[in-house]
């Protein structure tokens, strides 16, 4: 159980409704509170500023927030509520307001597009900005057009279903990313499927349309028939995962090493995964860098299921 709340960022759109539902489930799983946050539109913020500057007592103290009422009605229709549901209307720009309120949160959940987004956009500007700057993990829930089951002809492994999929660079992924993935798997009672990519490809005949293979830890006891680069990657994974296995002994772990593009494999796996977890950016970037890493960027734009973008502790500067 955590004292840090799960924050759901809403704006009244159907995309944010999906995020609200996901956040409610996360708060229940973690046994923590739910904070529903709405950044007021510009006209509401202008009204508040005008009233404050004119000191006009005849004007209502607060501008009505219809999203607040909408959230209350949607929450009230749900089957279960977390302990301690709170609502908060925020002022300022969406990224800055959510960055401030996200300090100390367990996670911040939002839809991939907001009310004002174009239908053709894969990811809205606010979602991208918040995922790039928030001091807590940000879970982006995709809109309905992207949320699809496994497509014919893809190589996504069916055994990803219900798993927490972790994108891991064994030498560089920060510990915070691994901890978040294992904690999520623990509260879900499911498996962590660890996916890493290696740069040296095997023979061309093995690369073409080859789905990645999931190997349990005991499968690494002998040399087997794997490609040397693949076997070495799996062993590097095993060494990196040892502390997490000790901390979460009841969480099953599956390991996979793939040639080539890690983002593409994670997007494939997202079709049936409960959650895909990746680090925000390359650890060699400065702590205050606003640029999101290439893998996180690609997965955010193209994943078919929820994606958690996890910052490092140094990002909380």
């Amino acid at each position: 159980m955590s004292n840090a709340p799960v924050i759901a960022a809403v704006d009244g759109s159907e995309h944010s409704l999906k995020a609200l539902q996901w956040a409610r489930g996360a708060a229940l799983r973690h046994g923590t509170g739910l904070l529903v946050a709405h950044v007021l539109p510009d006209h509401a913020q202008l009204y508040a500023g005008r009233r404050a500057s004119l000191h006009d007592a005849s004007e209502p103290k607060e501008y009505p927030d219809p999203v607040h009422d909408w959230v209350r009605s949607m929450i009230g229709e749900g089957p279960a509520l977390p302990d301690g549901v709170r609502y908060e209307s925020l002022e300022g720009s969406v990224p800055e307001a959510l960055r401030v309120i996200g300090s100390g949160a367990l996670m911040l959940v939002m839809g991939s597009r907001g009310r004002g987004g174009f239908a053709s956009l894969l990811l809205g500007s606010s979602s991208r900005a918040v995922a790039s700057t928030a001091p807590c993990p940000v879970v982006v829930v995709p809109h309905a057009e992207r949320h699809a089951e496994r497509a014919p002809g893809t190589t996504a492994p069916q055994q990803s279903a219900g798993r927490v999929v972790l994108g891991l660079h064994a030498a560089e992924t920060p510990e915070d990313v691994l901890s978040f993935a294992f904690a999520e798997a623990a509260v879900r009672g499911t498996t962590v499927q660890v996916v890493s990519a290696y740069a040296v490809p095997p023979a061309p005949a093995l690369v073409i349309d080859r789905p990645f293979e999931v190997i349990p830890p005991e499968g690494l006891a002998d040399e087997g028939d794997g490609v040397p680069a693949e076997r070495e990657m799996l062993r590097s994974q095993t060494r990196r995962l040892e502390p997490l296995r000790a901390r979460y002994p009841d969480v099953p772990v599956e390991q996979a090493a793939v040639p080539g593009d890690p983002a593409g494999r994670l997007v494939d796996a997202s079709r049936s995964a409960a959650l895909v977890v990746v680090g925000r950016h390359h650890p060699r970037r400065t702590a205050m860098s606003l640029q999101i890493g290439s893998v996180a960027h690609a997965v955010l734009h193209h994943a078919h299921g929820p994606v958690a973008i996890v910052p490092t502790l140094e990002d909380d500067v």
Side-chain angles (χ1 to χ4, degrees):
M1 181 176 293
S2 171
N3 293 324
V6 173
I7 298 178
V10 301
D11 63 2
S13 67
E14 288 300 314
H15 306 304
S16 69
L17 174 59
K18 289 174 66 70
L20 176 60
Q21 293 170 338
W22 200 98
R24 176 168 57 186
L28 287 169
R29 285 190 295 272
H30 286 275
T32 190
L34 174 65
L35 172 59
V36 184
H38 171 229
V39 180
L40 291 170
D42 291 343
H43 61 272
Q45 296 190 44
L46 287 172
Y47 176 90
R50 175 181 178 275
R51 186 185 185 283
S53 63
L54 295 177
H55 304 287
D56 188 352
S58 65
E59 296 283 356
K61 289 185 178 181
E62 294 183 357
Y63 189 93
D65 185 359
V67 172
H68 188 270
D69 298 332
W70 171 83
V71 166
R72 285 187 177 275
S73 66
M74 298 307 299
I75 285 285
E77 296 173 0
L81 288 176
D83 293 333
V85 179
R86 296 187 293 124
Y87 310 86
E88 189 160 342
S89 298
L90 308 176
E91 295 184 10
S93 68
V94 172
E96 178 61 18
L98 293 180
R99 186 189 69 79
V100 172
I101 199 173
S103 178
L106 183 64
M107 67 184 78
L108 191 156
V109 185
M110 62 191 309
S112 58
R113 286 208 309 260
R115 179 178 290 277
F118 293 100
S120 60
L121 289 178
L122 296 175
L123 184 71
S125 59
S126 293
S127 302
R128 181 173 59 250
V130 173
S132 301
T133 60
C136 64
V138 175
V139 176
V140 177
V141 181
H143 52 81
E145 291 82 355
R146 282 171 54 190
H147 200 288
E149 295 301 321
R150 185 184 181 207
T154 65
T155 59
Q158 294 197 15
Q159 62 266 34
S160 292
R163 267 74 164 167
V164 172
V165 175
L166 168 64
L168 175 67
H169 188 300
E172 296 179 349
T173 300
E175 192 72 14
D176 301 321
V177 183
L178 281 72
S179 296
F180 184 88
F182 273 78
E184 277 299 304
V187 298
R188 292 172 178 272
T190 191
T191 298
V192 172
Q193 187 177 88
V194 184
V195 179
S196 300
Y198 54 91
V200 180
L206 296 178
V207 175
I208 299 173
D209 293 332
R210 180 193 176 198
F212 65 71
E213 299 175 359
V214 173
I215 300 178
E218 57 270 18
L220 300 176
D222 53 51
E223 292 302 319
D225 298 325
V227 176
E230 179 182 10
R231 305 295 298 186
E232 181 55 35
M233 178 62 72
L234 291 169
R235 294 186 191 284
S236 297
Q237 281 185 352
T238 300
R239 290 191 292 269
R240 184 66 196 278
L241 294 170
E242 283 178 359
L244 278 303
R245 284 200 178 98
R247 198 186 315 165
Y248 297 93
D250 296 328
V251 173
V253 178
E254 296 174 348
Q255 297 175 230
V258 299
D261 175 29
R265 300 292 185 151
L266 291 171
V267 169
D268 281 348
S270 73
R271 292 184 181 275
S272 54
L275 180 67
V276 175
V277 180
V278 293
R280 175 184 286 170
H281 53 57
H282 196 289
R284 294 197 187 109
R285 298 188 189 280
T286 62
M288 296 302 291
S289 172
L290 301 185
Q291 184 175 357
I292 198 167
S294 59
V295 172
H297 181 274
V299 175
L300 264 183
H301 275 75
H302 300 290
H304 302 278
V307 177
I309 304 297
V310 183
T312 61
L313 291 177
E314 287 77 15
D315 289 325
D316 296 338
V317 178

